[in-house]
Amino acid sequence: MLIKRSPNGIEIPFSSEITPKHIFESRRNFIKQIAAGSIASGALLEMATRQALAQNVRQKLVGKPNLAYVVMDRQSAYKDATTYNNFYEFGTDKADPAKYAGGLKTRPWSIAIEGEVKKPMTLDLDSLMKLAPLEERIYRLRCVEGWSMVIPWIGYSLSALIKKVEPTSKAKFIEFVTLADPKQMPGLRSSVLSWPYVEGLRMDEANHPLALLTFGMYGEVLPHQNGAPVRVVLPWKYGFKSAKSIVKIRFVQEQPKTAWNLAAAQEYGFYSNVNPAVDHPRWSQASERRIGEDGFLTKKRKTLMFNGYNEVASLYAGMDLKKFF
Ligand SMILES: Nc1nc2c(c(=O)[nH]1)N[C@H]1C(S)=C(S)[C@@H](COP(=O)(O)O)O[C@H]1N2
Ligand SMILES: [Mo]
């Protein structure tokens, strides 16, 4: 198989190999039609390319395993991680993102970096991916709903990007903004959340090495339903802090108004650190169901403080985590 390998280890297979057979064949028919002069070639090629790009195609992505960030729990099945999702832009059912995110157009893609930085910039996906070496890290991620998974993510510490744009002394928080395109995202018709989906972190949290700017999982580029082409993963916080399909990162002075906090402030605080001692108003947070382990007799797991990532504890020294939940 012909592979173009870029310096950061991304393998770019040729289009016949990344394109599912039926798409490839329908494209070939198109090409025959062009040759016969029945379709204008420019329009045809554009259609064929769009079709291929719009597929949720599996494509290799290599990250060097970082052994400092490997949890010992058994990895979740790829099937579970890609079919049991929260991505409300594509619907609120766990199966919706896998069903409806297939057509998300993830290239070209760029992230605008704005606000309190000395070097505001717009980075296209390729430049963004080359900013630091890609690593593989196996993280637990726990949803506020009380389930968790263990996923091998590929990315680099968000701190590398932060350093590049040189935050000013006024930058106290960082805000992530998800794509909100009603043409591609059927879930935007619902008003469960205010769109675009916005999440945020305090500057020191964003700079913690655990905070991962993420481009892939399971040795492949991110599937659309998991937040392609770029998301964050913050394993010591409830899953909703890990914003998907990011188009804008803003450095700000004030604590950002985040989507879940706007929707229900008493239930979803700004910090949302995993904390078994602070219940959600409607349920206990003391234990969790590990997806893939859920049999009739399977015991729930005890939820760990900071989801087990004790290295972040110093970020919250002296704070009342019942108040700042
Ligand atoms: N833009 C956006 N990001 C999002 C969400 C969402 O609805 N929209 N859901 C969050 C929630 S609640 C969880 S638990 C995680 C799930 O990530 P995963 O599907 O990759 O496991 O994504 C988070 N990021
Ligand atoms: Mo979640």
Side-chain angles (χ1 to χ4, degrees):
M1 166 160 133
L2 287 163
I3 286 190
K4 241 168 79 190
R5 193 184 277 273
S6 73
N8 60 356
I10 307 163
E11 290 181 350
I12 308 155
F14 279 65
S15 64
S16 61
E17 285 152 20
I18 62 169
T19 307
K21 196 155 177 258
H22 65 283
I23 303 286
F24 189 61
E25 274 166 4
S26 76
R27 185 195 300 168
R28 205 159 53 191
N29 287 339
F30 269 133
I31 288 164
K32 275 189 199 150
Q33 283 176 275
I34 302 188
S38 56
I39 307 176
S41 64
L44 172 78
L45 279 178
E46 209 215 318
M47 273 174 79
T49 314
R50 257 215 318 267
Q51 244 184 342
L53 289 177
Q55 292 299 308
N56 202 354
V57 173
R58 294 179 66 166
Q59 205 177 325
K60 254 192 190 176
L61 183 66
V62 177
K64 185 167 178 245
N66 184 334
L67 301 179
Y69 299 105
V70 172
V71 292
M72 286 305 145
D73 314 16
R74 189 155 59 88
Q75 229 172 264
S76 298
Y78 176 86
K79 183 86 199 287
D80 289 335
T82 55
T83 56
Y84 191 89
N85 301 104
N86 278 333
F87 197 167
Y88 278 16
E89 287 82 343
F90 293 100
T92 54
D93 196 276
K94 294 284 177 289
D96 284 343
K99 269 192 228 156
Y100 303 121
L104 177 68
K105 194 168 179 254
T106 58
R107 272 178 191 270
W109 191 277
S110 57
I111 288 198
I113 298 159
E114 304 176 350
E116 292 297 340
V117 288
K118 292 188 195 116
K119 295 183 176 165
M121 59 180 79
T122 297
L123 285 167
D124 64 42
L125 189 60
D126 293 314
S127 320
L128 188 68
M129 288 176 82
K130 280 181 205 141
L131 223 68
L134 296 177
E135 296 176 9
E136 180 175 74
R137 302 181 181 187
I138 305 177
Y139 280 168
R140 284 185 209 99
L141 192 59
R142 187 196 188 281
C143 180
V144 73
E145 296 163 341
W147 50 269
S148 60
M149 292 199 215
V150 175
I151 296 178
W153 302 103
I154 299 162
Y156 57 75
S157 289
L158 178 63
S159 60
L161 174 62
I162 297 176
K163 198 170 159 209
K164 163 113 177 151
V165 298
E166 298 180 26
T168 71
S169 60
K170 287 183 185 160
K172 302 291 183 233
F173 295 89
I174 183 171
E175 185 181 288
F176 306 100
V177 183
T178 295
L179 177 74
D181 179 1
K183 283 194 228 93
Q184 301 192 74
M185 299 170 140
L188 299 192
R189 284 193 293 248
S190 148
S191 52
V192 267
L193 293 173
S194 59
W195 314 108
Y197 191 101
V198 171
E199 257 310 331
L201 297 170
R202 215 171 54 193
M203 224 36 225
D204 59 341
E205 298 181 301
N207 266 315
H208 193 281
L210 267 177
L212 193 71
L213 192 66
T214 306
F215 304 94
M217 59 192 242
Y218 295 88
E220 298 179 359
V221 301
L222 280 173
H224 297 174
Q225 59 269 37
N226 295 90
V230 54
R231 67 176 295 176
V232 281
V233 180
L234 310 156
W236 72 99
K237 293 180 177 282
Y238 291 121
F240 67 86
K241 300 294 290 181
S242 294
K244 294 177 168 179
S245 304
I246 297 168
V247 289
K248 195 185 289 183
I249 297 181
R250 295 178 62 224
F251 290 73
V252 294
Q253 293 188 55
E254 307 290 328
Q255 184 174 299
K257 293 196 179 353
T258 57
W260 280 99
N261 187 254
L262 286 170
Q266 340 69 261
E267 303 193 10
Y268 310 104
F270 177 77
Y271 285 93
S272 284
N273 292 315
V274 174
N275 188 342
V278 177
D279 288 340
H280 184 279
R282 292 183 282 134
W283 59 80
S284 160
Q285 293 290 33
S287 65
E288 69 202 55
R289 191 166 61 89
R290 179 66 50 83
I291 301 297
E293 285 180 352
D294 26 20
F296 177 61
L297 293 169
T298 311
K299 271 222 200 103
K300 284 189 158 195
R301 289 176 176 250
K302 269 193 165 155
T303 288
L304 304 171
M305 186 65 202
F306 300 122
N307 206 16
Y309 296 93
N310 290 319
E311 61 262 54
V312 300
S314 60
L315 296 172
Y316 311 104
M319 280 175 73
D320 177 354
L321 295 182
K322 283 201 160 66
K323 189 170 166 215
F324 297 102
F325 64 97

